[in-house]
Amino acid sequence: MAEGNKTVTAYEEALDALSSLITKRSRADKSNNGDRFELLSDYLKILDLDVAISQLKVIHVAGTKGKGSTCTFTESILRNCGFRTGLFTSPHLIDVRERFRLDGDDISEDKFLAYFWWCYDRLKEKATEDIPMPSYFHFLALLAFKIFTAEQIDVAILEVGLGGRFDATNVVQKPVVCGISSLGYDHMEILGNTLGEIAGEKAGIFKYGVPAFTVPQPDEAMRVLEENASKLDVPLQVVPPLDASLLNGLKLGLEGEHQYMNAGLAVALSSTWLQRTSQLGVNYLDTTSPLPEQFIKGLTMANLQGRAQIVPDRYTNSETSGDLVFYLDGAHSPESMEICARWFSLAIKEENQQETFDFQPPNSSGSSNGLPQRQHDGKIRKNSAQILLFNCMSVRDPQLLLPSLMKTCARHGVYFKKALFVPNASVYNKVGSHALPPTETQIDLSWQFALQRVWENLMLGDKGVAKNTDNASEDVKDDTELSARSCENSAVFSSLPLAIKWLRDSVQQNQSLRFQVLVTGSLHLIGDVLKIVKK
């Protein structure tokens, strides 16, 4: 145990050093040259990576929505084709090592520590006033380059952190192929207020003569992508969503109809990488041709936490197992919020219909179609109540996010019994689970109260929402003592653990209800919930 404790302590020491690189200054944008983007070439030289990075065979992906899923599909496809893969994504949900995947797995703690200190110590030793220690994300990107070059991977799949032009991953000069996933309004305070401006920043990853692929985009965004591609002699192709019939009856590894768009882009990127790196006899860009078995396996086995993820609460005992289920999706733009709401609505309808189908009254004989029956000890099957657990960054506009969520759910006949608003448990100037949030007396809940006001106004303004009695014929018994402020349709909690406690207590108090909790608005919130629920 002593040795194990020592390892944990060494890891926490590294996370503390990483935390020291988190600054309060604004994120990379045009006004600060991408948080001094030009320094990255100096850092690469200090780390002796300037030549090695040019030898990486990179797939580079930017976009507003779906870039992480696209990268995940692409990595899974090429790994199943027999290649050694390196995947760099952001943000992480629970552990920073999630950002660095080798052959589909998070980098081991031992390897992380070795590469971390190798980079950190060299940069610290050479740091000057002109070339200070890199910022947090710059360091993580440099660390990814060190890991991938040292591990001698066959392909590096890089997800842009923010934007494209000034992103730390854009230090790569000659990728094999580039991809742009769906574009929308996000990070407008940094990337611009129009789709054209946002598209221009994303197109910053285009390199002269390097082929690029995108998905169908709004006209304004597509025009800008095409203009940027033309200037750099980039062959830009638009890829349609993957035809589900090509999967031979199997389902994509990532849930949601929108994933077929990301899967189509991933197939194009993977095929082009195989062609351009001289892998013979590969041509899968014809969207009507059967997919190779390795592609199908890659697409159906892909996994990514926090995107359309369903997690039953492990805390509840066996008698109430399945009575508290979390539906997690890190949507944080109006467009992705609509997609998230549609996924949630269809997922709970499917679950509730399956419950109805599986349930057999105590006097009935046999089971329908041989399916196993759920045991209810003769009790009437449970109704369901939908709860929203929400937070978003203060730079987002809840007047765009929450109406999109509420109206899309309502169109599918889904209405929330209660909306819970919480601050994120993550501490933004600290990395690691040992970093404790401030005590409750220090927490400023003004943003959560603002979110609550938006929700209550929406509920008052939408007469149809009052009819939310179809799915649950009785009101949720509400013990509001745990909340900082409770209204008719919502509550603000001073911490996420208190909100989770309220949910677990409510399960015990409402034995005839199943609670289906949609958690969305922030990937940080998703990670915080997973830490508690999976503990």
Side-chain angles (χ1 to χ4, degrees):
M1 286 300 291
E3 188 176 337
N5 290 337
K6 186 178 179 182
T7 303
V8 172
T9 303
Y11 188 55
E12 290 180 354
E13 185 182 348
L15 296 184
D16 286 339
L18 180 59
S19 298
S20 72
L21 304 178
I22 300 175
T23 63
K24 296 295 184 184
R25 60 178 182 265
S26 62
R27 300 167 82 174
D29 62 16
K30 286 174 275 192
S31 68
N32 63 10
N33 287 330
D35 202 9
R36 299 192 69 184
F37 177 82
E38 73 281 358
L39 287 178
L40 283 163
S41 59
D42 295 309
Y43 296 138
L44 288 172
K45 288 173 184 173
I46 291 171
L47 297 174
D48 293 323
L49 290 173
D50 46 334
V51 175
I53 193 177
S54 65
Q55 297 170 348
L56 285 174
K57 295 176 181 177
V58 171
I59 296 174
H60 200 190
V61 183
T64 307
K65 308 181 298 292
K67 62 183 185 290
S69 299
T70 299
C71 287
T72 299
F73 280 131
T74 304
E75 184 279 332
S76 187
I77 289 171
L78 293 175
R79 173 163 41 86
N80 278 282
C81 286
F83 296 98
R84 289 214 66 207
T85 60
L87 174 63
F88 177 59
T89 59
S90 60
H92 63 273
L93 296 183
I94 298 176
D95 191 311
V96 72
R97 292 181 295 114
E98 296 166 25
R99 296 174 183 248
F100 315 94
R101 280 192 183 186
L102 294 170
D103 297 323
D105 294 321
D106 300 348
I107 189 171
S108 69
E109 202 169 285
D110 288 343
K111 282 187 176 182
F112 176 86
L113 287 172
Y115 292 128
F116 176 90
W117 290 117
W118 191 95
C119 293
Y120 188 90
D121 289 343
R122 279 162 178 74
L123 291 166
K124 192 78 171 176
E125 182 185 344
K126 298 286 187 179
T128 65
E129 190 172 326
D130 292 331
I131 307 177
M133 284 293 283
S135 59
Y136 175 71
F137 189 77
H138 282 189
F139 180 85
L140 291 174
L142 293 164
L143 179 55
F145 294 136
K146 174 59 183 175
I147 291 169
F148 294 162
T149 54
E151 291 290 321
Q152 298 183 315
I153 57 169
D154 298 315
V155 55
I157 301 105
L158 306 179
E159 178 193 359
V160 165
L162 175 64
R165 185 183 313 279
F166 291 119
D167 189 75
T169 60
N170 204 31
V171 74
V172 172
Q173 294 299 306
K174 198 73 174 174
V176 176
V177 62
C178 295
I180 306 286
S181 65
S182 297
L183 298 178
Y185 293 101
D186 196 18
H187 300 296
M188 291 152 65
E189 77 285 1
I190 298 168
L191 302 179
N193 292 315
T194 68
L195 274 180
E197 288 177 312
I198 292 169
E201 289 303 303
K202 307 290 185 182
I205 70 168
F206 290 165
K207 301 297 186 298
Y208 185 82
V210 174
F213 294 87
T214 189
V215 299
Q217 305 282 8
D219 290 344
E220 181 185 357
M222 188 60 78
R223 275 197 305 272
V224 173
L225 292 181
E226 290 171 344
E227 288 168 6
N228 279 269
S230 178
K231 290 175 186 174
L232 293 170
D233 198 21
V234 168
L236 176 65
Q237 294 185 53
V238 179
V239 182
L242 182 74
D243 184 344
S245 66
L246 296 177
L247 295 176
N248 296 340
L250 300 174
K251 291 177 64 176
L252 290 174
L254 305 183
E255 289 283 342
E257 292 177 22
H258 60 289
Q259 292 295 358
Y260 286 92
M261 185 84 73
N262 301 324
L265 181 55
V267 167
L269 294 172
S270 302
S271 301
T272 303
W273 185 89
L274 289 166
Q275 291 170 0
R276 299 198 77 219
T277 55
S278 301
Q279 311 300 327
L280 299 177
V282 175
N283 187 4
Y284 308 130
L285 291 178
D286 180 358
T287 55
T288 60
S289 299
L291 286 175
E293 184 182 333
Q294 300 95 318
F295 275 49
I296 294 174
K297 188 174 181 182
L299 291 167
T300 56
M301 298 292 286
N303 70 88
L304 183 62
Q305 287 198 111
R307 278 75 165 186
Q309 182 180 7
I310 302 174
V311 181
D313 185 29
R314 294 181 180 178
Y315 177 84
T316 51
N317 61 39
S318 57
E319 290 182 8
T320 56
S321 178
D323 288 351
L324 177 57
V325 181
F326 294 93
Y327 296 75
L328 305 132
D329 191 273
H332 50 267
S333 69
E335 298 89 352
S336 59
M337 198 62 67
E338 183 176 342
I339 291 169
C340 165
R342 189 163 63 244
W343 162 73
F344 174 67
S345 301
L346 295 175
I348 64 168
K349 279 193 172 184
E350 183 178 330
E351 168 64 23
N352 295 342
Q353 285 170 1
Q354 188 65 38
E355 167 74 8
T356 303
F357 184 66
D358 284 351
F359 174 74
Q360 296 285 336
N363 293 329
S364 84
S365 58
S367 69
S368 178
N369 290 340
L371 289 175
Q373 298 177 35
R374 298 178 185 174
Q375 299 302 313
H376 291 268
D377 297 322
K379 295 178 182 177
I380 298 174
R381 72 178 181 85
K382 297 195 174 187
N383 289 311
S384 61
Q386 288 74 50
I387 307 289
L388 174 65
L389 181 56
F390 187 91
N391 191 34
C392 64
M393 293 173 63
S394 58
V395 293
R396 315 262 185 233
D397 186 353
Q399 300 277 10
L400 295 176
L401 299 183
L402 290 173
S404 178
L405 174 68
M406 179 187 282
K407 290 174 182 175
T408 304
C409 285
R411 280 199 299 271
H412 288 83
V414 174
Y415 304 95
F416 292 100
K417 276 286 185 182
K418 199 91 169 176
L420 314 180
F421 299 100
V422 296
N424 291 343
S426 300
V427 182
Y428 288 99
N429 62 350
K430 203 77 170 165
V431 183
S433 58
H434 68 298
L436 295 173
T439 59
E440 290 174 28
T441 55
Q442 296 173 301
I443 292 177
D444 178 6
L445 295 175
S446 57
W447 178 244
Q448 283 66 43
F449 292 143
L451 295 174
Q452 185 182 38
R453 281 194 297 274
V454 172
W455 185 261
E456 289 292 333
N457 287 336
L458 283 170
M459 294 293 284
L460 288 172
D462 192 337
K463 304 300 183 187
V465 174
K467 301 174 184 176
N468 60 348
T469 55
D470 292 340
N471 291 329
S473 59
E474 56 199 280
D475 290 331
V476 176
K477 293 174 185 173
D478 189 357
D479 177 8
T480 56
E481 290 180 8
L482 295 174
S483 64
R485 185 171 75 186
S486 183
C487 298
E488 182 181 355
N489 306 296
S490 62
V492 169
F493 290 86
S494 59
S495 73
L496 177 60
L498 281 178
I500 300 291
K501 184 180 187 310
W502 180 86
L503 286 166
R504 287 169 171 169
D505 289 348
S506 297
V507 168
Q508 301 298 328
Q509 295 169 15
N510 298 269
Q511 294 291 324
S512 61
L513 282 178
R514 173 194 294 111
F515 286 76
Q516 297 167 318
V517 184
L518 174 61
V519 186
T520 191
S522 161
L523 275 169
H524 295 287
L525 176 61
I526 300 295
D528 294 337
V529 170
L530 284 171
K531 286 174 192 172
I532 294 173
V533 174
K534 289 193 167 186
K535 190 177 290 183

